[in-house]
Amino acid sequence: MTVHPVAPRAPGRPRQFEESEALAAIMKLFWENGYEATGLSDIIAATGLGKASLYATFGNKQAMYLRALAAFEVQMVDAGARTLSDGLAPAMDRIAAFLDAPIAARRDANDTAGCFLCNASVDRAALDPATAEIVQRCYTKLGNALERTLAQIMPPAEAQRRAQMVLAVYSGLRVMARSGMNITALEQARDDALRSLSAT
């Protein structure tokens, strides 16, 4: 792994900064604040890297954003798709946990950051084809995982259609939870979606 030297924070105390650590800090900024509200000065402060080191390692702000979103894909979306598809719990339990995740994040942890993928779809995808490509790829992965899971309890054609419904509900719950929507209303939407699946 590449290690980049950065200017010391105190005299006589140089430090090293791993690329993965810097990328994690960059991801956190874009995830919580969005693209436009994250400035280069914020990234410099969060990573401890100077402008030249940042640009040499990650490229410009746009490239940093795409690197961060791609890292989220690997760390979170791929892991979520595997959890949906792993078969270690009943299919409906996995779907219920998936739909409850946006609500639990807000209800139990007061998480106001939301989902980086959902944030990117609202914040940036319509403005930038490269962002849209990652967002669409992530949604496809989650949709495929949902389809495989639902196919365990319903015909394949129905599973394909219902998977898109579940994904749309999940994305809506993420956005609405971040906006401060009433938790009870979100739980009702989740339960209505689950009941519709159970009725098939």
Side-chain angles (χ1 to χ4, degrees), residues 19-20 22-32 35 38 43 58 60-77 116-117 120 131 134 137-138:
E19 183 174 325
S20 60
L23 183 58
I26 292 168
M27 183 199 299
K28 185 174 186 293
L29 281 175
F30 283 129
W31 186 341
E32 293 179 349
Y35 183 84
T38 300
I43 297 172
F58 300 108
N60 61 16
K61 177 181 170 181
Q62 166 73 357
M64 293 180 209
Y65 182 84
L66 294 174
R67 281 281 301 273
L69 188 56
F72 179 87
E73 176 183 3
V74 172
Q75 296 171 22
M76 305 298 292
V77 175
F116 192 12
L117 170 61
T131 299
I134 297 174
R137 185 170 68 228
C138 289

